[in-house]
Amino acid sequence: MKARLRRLLGTPLHPLLERDIYLSHRDLPEVLDRYERGDPFFLYTGRGPSGEVHLAHLLPFELSSYLQQKLGVEFWVQVTDDEKFLFQGALSLEETRRLGRENLLDLLALGFDPKKTHILFDTASIRSLYPLALKVAKRVTYSTAKAVFGFTPQNNIGSIFFTAIQSVPAFLPSARAGRPVPCLIPCGIDQDPHFRITRDVAEPLGYPKPALIHNRLLPGLSGEEKMSSSAERKDGVIFLNDPPEEVDRKLSRAFTGGRASVEEQRRLGANPEVCSVWALWRSRFAPDPKEFAEITRTCRSGELLCGECKRRLIPRVQQFLGEHARRRADVERWVDSAIVDGPPGGTA
Amino acid sequence: MKARLRRLLGTPLHPLLERDIYLSHRDLPEVLDRYERGDPFFLYTGRGPSGEVHLAHLLPFELSSYLQQKLGVEFWVQVTDDEKFLFQGALSLEETRRLGRENLLDLLALGFDPKKTHILFDTASIRSLYPLALKVAKRVTYSTAKAVFGFTPQNNIGSIFFTAIQSVPAFLPSARAGRPVPCLIPCGIDQDPHFRITRDVAEPLGYPKPALIHNRLLPGLSGEEKMSSSAERKDGVIFLNDPPEEVDRKLSRAFTGGRASVEEQRRLGANPEVCSVWALWRSRFAPDPKEFAEITRTCRSGELLCGECKRRLIPRVQQFLGEHARRRADVERWVDSAIVDGPPGGTA
C-alpha cells in the first residue's frame, strides 16, 4: 500500500503515512483506482467541539491538507456542535457553537484551499444536512444504534438520532452532484464504529460506501494511551493556544521511554515505542526523514538522553504554535464564507 | 368555560365551540387570563402530509382561523414532512414535501391573515427548528419516548427523535421574542399524548407550558369512529378535491342513525349521535343555530328521513368545496413567503 501511495503522492510520503501513524484502512485501493481513472474523491473529516484543540486533533486534518495539496481534491469538514451539546451534559449549545468556530480556525490553519473547502457546521448547515439525515435515519433502527454505540434507555433521543447527522457528509457531495462521488474519511482508529452505520446504509441509499483511513492514537504526555483533554489532568495535552512557558513545563515533565538512571540508559538505551516525546517527533516535529532516523537511532543506542531530547523538541513545538497562531488569523478571513448555508447565528 | 368564551368572542360562538366539538382543554383559562391582561397568545397546529386533506383535517384550522379573526393573534402551522417520511414506510421524502405544500393550500384556504401566519415546513425550516429541538431532545430519554409512544427496538432512530421537532413550534415564538409568549394548540383529542412531552420539557427550558384545546373526532362516512384516509376504504372520507359527483355518491351511501324501515323511523325517530351525516351538519354545514336545531329536532322526531337529510346536505358540501378551490388559488400567492427560512427546494 505504501509503495502505491509513493507512486501517487511522491517520495518520501508525508510522515503520517511513511511512519505508519496511519495504520489501517477500509477500501482505500478502490478509491485510488477510481482516482487514477480520472474520478476524483473528496475528503471528509470532523471535529466535535467540546474544548480547545490539541496536537492529537491535528492528525486527520494534517493528512487531509497534504492529500488536498498533492491531489487537488475537495475537503469537507463537519463541526458537530449538536453532538457535543447532546452528549456532554454540562455544555450549552451556545458554548459548543462558540467552540466550534474557534476550533475551525485552529484546524484549518494547517493549510487548506479556501476554494475547495466546505464546512458543515451542524446547527448552521442543518438545512442541507437534514433531508439526507432523515433518509439515513429511516434505515437505522434503535436496535442497530444500540448495538454499535451501547445506548441505554437513559440516553437522550437526540444522541440516538445523531449518527444519522454524522453520516450525511459522506453522501452530500454525491447528492449535490447527482452522481456517485467517492469519499475518503481520515479519522482516529477509535472513530471507526461511528462509520460502520454510514457504510451499511450507503448502498441501499444509492451512494458509494465511504473509504476510511485510520490513524493510531497520539499518546498523552503523562503516559496515557491517548492524548485526550477529557482526562482529569490537562498536563498530558499540548493545546494549540498553550503559551511557550506551558509547552516548556509540560514537555519537560513528559513521560518517556528512558531508564531509571543515566548510567543505565547509556548502557541499555531507551525505548521510543512507549515514549510520548518520540511520538511527537514521529508525528510532525521531525519532518526530515534523516533527522527522525537519527533521533530514533540515538535514543535506542543510549546516546541521546531524554533531557537533551526534550530540550531539542521544546523550541520546535513553540515555533510551530507561534506560526500556527499567525496562520489562524488568515483563516478567519474566509472561514465563514466556506460554511454551507452560512455562518451560525440567530436564536439558538 | 363556554360562558367565558362567549364574553370574549361574542355570541353565538363558532359551532365548533358552541356544539362541543371542542370538548376538553388543558390550561385554557390561564391563556385567556393573560390575554385579557394584554398579553396575546399565539396559535399552533400542524399537519402531517401523508395524503390529501379531508374534512376532518379542517377542524383545528377552522378553529384557528376563527380565533385569529376574533382576537388578532398570530398563527403558526407546522408541516411535518419529516414525520410522515419517517413513520410511513412507503412514502418518499420528495412525496411528503410535495403533499405538504398541496395540503397547506387546502388548509390555509379556510382564511388566515398572511401577515400573522408563519409556516414551519420541517425540512425547509429546519435551521430555525433544530437548535431548539436539540434542547428538547437533551431532556427526553429513550425510556420516556418509549413510554409515551410505545416504541420498540425496531423503530427507526428518526421516528424516536421526531417528538423533539414537534415540540419546537410551541417554544419558537418565545425564543424569538426573548420573553414568554403563551401558546394555544388546537388539535384532535388523539394528538394529546404528543404534547405531553412538550408540556413536560417547557418549564425546565424556560418556556410557558403550551395550552391545548381538543376536538372530538369526526366520524367516517362508513360508520368508523374516526374519519381517516388511512382506512382501506376511501369512501368514508370526503377529500377537499372530491368532484361533485363523488360527494353525491359518498354522502348518498353514508352511514346514518336511521331505522330499519321508513315506518319505524317515522314512529321512533332517528339517532343523530351515531350519524355521520349529522356530524357534518354539526361541524360546519349548518352554521345557523336555528337550522341546526331544526335538523336535530326533526331527525329525532322522525319527521326528517335520512334520504331527505342527505339530499339537503350534498349541495352544501359541493358548494363549500367549490368555493374552497377558489380560495386555495389566493393562498398560492402568499404561502411560500410565509414559510420560515424560505420554501422547500434543493437536494432532498
Side-chain angles (χ1 to χ4, degrees), chain A residues 169-228:
Chain A
F171 308 138
L172 192 58
S174 294
R176 291 190 157 200
R179 58 176 175 78
V181 186
C183 173
L184 175 63
I185 306 176
C187 64
I189 184 73
D190 54 336
Q191 300 300 306
D192 188 65
H194 287 272
F195 296 108
R196 252 192 269 169
I197 284 179
T198 309
R199 285 171 53 85
D200 284 349
V201 300
E203 286 178 353
L205 288 174
Y207 299 117
K209 266 190 184 187
L212 296 165
I213 179 165
H214 310 108
N215 61 266
R216 60 175 82 232
L217 304 177
L218 192 67
L221 301 183
S222 311
E224 308 88 350
E225 191 185 5
K226 179 181 177 179
M227 182 180 281
S228 166

Side-chain angles (χ1 to χ4, degrees), chain A residues 103-144:
Chain A
N103 290 181
L104 264 179
L105 298 177
D106 279 333
L107 295 163
L108 297 178
L110 286 168
F112 290 90
D113 180 348
K115 290 188 293 299
K116 291 183 173 175
T117 298
H118 312 276
I119 301 163
L120 293 164
F121 199 108
D122 282 355
T123 62
S125 306
I126 190 69
R127 191 177 155 111
S128 292
L129 293 166
Y130 191 60
L132 273 173
L134 292 171
K135 294 184 183 188
V136 173
K138 192 167 177 176
R139 294 186 175 269
V140 181
T141 64
Y142 175 70
S143 182
T144 298

Side-chain angles (χ1 to χ4, degrees), chain B residues 15-332:
Chain B
L16 293 175
L17 294 169
E18 198 68 79
R19 298 172 193 170
D20 297 328
I21 293 172
Y22 277 86
L23 79 163
S24 65
H25 68 82
R26 292 185 190 273
D27 294 344
L28 183 57
E30 288 76 355
V31 169
L32 299 180
D33 288 348
R34 294 185 62 158
Y35 179 84
E36 291 184 320
R37 291 198 306 266
D39 192 2
F41 61 92
F42 70 95
L43 294 157
Y44 154 43
T45 196
R47 163 74 188 144
S50 56
E52 303 293 338
V53 170
H54 57 65
L55 290 179
H57 296 137
L58 298 186
L59 301 180
F61 289 83
E62 194 157 14
L63 185 70
S64 298
S65 168
Y66 166 73
L67 293 174
Q68 183 176 70
Q69 279 167 39
K70 290 287 181 184
L71 303 176
V73 294
E74 304 280 322
F75 175 57
W76 288 72
V77 52
Q78 181 178 33
V79 180
T80 59
D81 57 334
D82 48 355
E83 175 194 22
K84 291 302 172 181
F85 169 69
L86 290 166
F87 281 87
Q88 308 248 342
L91 279 178
S92 72
L93 192 52
E94 291 69 19
E95 184 65 2
T96 61
R97 285 179 144 193
R98 189 192 65 77
L99 285 168
R101 191 170 180 287
E102 291 296 312
N103 289 182
L104 265 178
L105 298 178
D106 279 333
L107 294 163
L108 297 178
L110 287 167
F112 290 91
D113 179 349
K115 290 189 294 298
K116 291 184 173 174
T117 298
H118 312 277
I119 300 164
L120 294 163
F121 199 109
D122 282 355
T123 62
S125 306
I126 190 68
R127 192 177 155 112
S128 293
L129 292 166
Y130 192 60
L132 272 173
L134 292 171
K135 294 185 182 188
V136 172
K138 193 167 176 175
R139 294 185 176 270
V140 180
T141 63
Y142 175 70
S143 181
T144 298
K146 184 182 159 188
V148 173
F149 299 107
F151 290 128
T152 75
Q154 294 318 305
N155 277 94
N156 74 59
I157 59 175
S159 61
I160 294 165
F161 175 66
F162 175 73
T163 190
I165 298 282
Q166 185 153 3
S167 292
V168 171
F171 308 139
L172 191 58
S174 294
R176 292 190 155 198
R179 59 176 175 77
V181 187
C183 173
L184 175 62
I185 306 176
C187 64
I189 184 72
D190 55 334
Q191 300 299 307
D192 189 66
H194 287 272
F195 295 108
R196 252 193 267 168
I197 284 178
T198 309
R199 285 171 54 86
D200 284 350
V201 300
E203 286 177 352
L205 288 174
Y207 299 117
K209 266 190 184 184
L212 296 165
I213 180 165
H214 311 109
N215 61 266
R216 62 175 80 232
L217 304 176
L218 191 67
L221 301 184
S222 311
E224 308 87 351
E225 192 185 5
K226 180 180 177 180
M227 181 181 279
S228 166
S229 53
S230 52
E232 290 266 303
R233 292 177 56 198
K234 301 273 183 185
D235 281 1
V237 175
I238 291 185
F239 293 104
L240 291 200
N241 58 4
D242 272 346
E245 58 277 14
E246 269 292 280
V247 173
D248 193 317
R249 189 182 64 80
K250 288 177 178 174
L251 283 177
S252 298
R253 298 178 185 186
F255 174 82
T256 69
R259 302 284 172 173
S261 68
V262 170
E263 184 279 326
E264 199 182 329
Q265 189 158 339
R266 288 282 185 212
R267 185 161 47 87
L268 299 171
N271 179 9
E273 271 71 26
V274 302
C275 176
S276 72
V277 172
W278 183 78
L280 291 175
W281 285 121
R282 181 193 196 189
S283 73
R284 71 161 351 277
F285 293 102
D288 175 5
K290 284 196 200 113
E291 184 189 25
F292 179 63
E294 184 65 10
I295 289 167
T296 308
R297 190 191 61 75
T298 54
C299 167
R300 275 197 225 286
S301 72
E303 288 164 70
L304 178 62
L305 293 180
C306 295
E308 168 60 18
C309 180
K310 288 173 172 178
R311 275 189 296 279
R312 283 164 64 181
L313 178 62
I314 288 166
R316 299 275 182 101
V317 176
Q318 290 168 331
Q319 188 193 357
F320 169 74
L321 297 184
E323 285 167 8
H324 196 82
R326 285 186 289 279
R327 285 193 299 264
R328 197 176 185 280
D330 294 335
V331 176
E332 188 130 29

Side-chain angles (χ1 to χ4, degrees), chain B residues 327-340:
Chain B
R327 285 193 299 264
R328 197 176 185 280
D330 294 335
V331 176
E332 188 130 29
R333 275 181 237 132
W334 60 268
V335 65
D336 288 325
S337 63
I339 297 176
V340 173

